[in-house]
Amino acid sequence: MASNDNNQPSLIGGHAEYVKGATEATIGNVTGSHAWKSSGEQIKAHAVDTMKAAGERRDPSHGFGTAEQKLGEVTGCKGMAHEGAASKRN
């Protein structure tokens, strides 16, 4: 029987979820909607947990090295910068 990995954390999925949360939080800030802002912050927190879990399972030899590290530094994503530095060393 084949293994089902659909429930495994994903870096890409985590980043997409973070962008969704950031968008919702921004809408909440602009419109003054506490519900949207709160929802966005919760989504972002869950996304960070997802990315951390995926990063722990990641094989550093399959990263994008310097490009990933620089993108992480530019966007302020410490995890991406760390993963890029780790894959650069391998």
Side-chain angles (χ1 to χ4, degrees), residues 60-66 68-69 81-90:
S61 66
H62 290 94
F64 296 100
T66 301
E68 183 178 21
Q69 181 181 9
H82 174 75
E83 294 291 337
S87 65
K88 186 169 65 173
R89 289 190 291 267
N90 290 322

Side-chain angles (χ1 to χ4, degrees), residues 15-66:
H15 280 94
E17 185 179 14
Y18 189 89
V19 169
K20 177 186 176 198
T23 301
E24 280 193 26
T26 300
I27 290 170
N29 285 331
V30 169
T31 62
S33 170
H34 178 71
W36 276 78
K37 182 179 176 182
S38 177
S39 174
E41 294 301 327
Q42 289 175 358
I43 291 169
K44 285 175 25 179
H46 182 264
V48 168
D49 291 341
T50 299
M51 289 184 282
K52 284 180 182 176
E56 290 170 1
R57 296 174 34 99
R58 182 176 177 197
D59 179 358
S61 66
H62 290 94
F64 296 100
T66 301

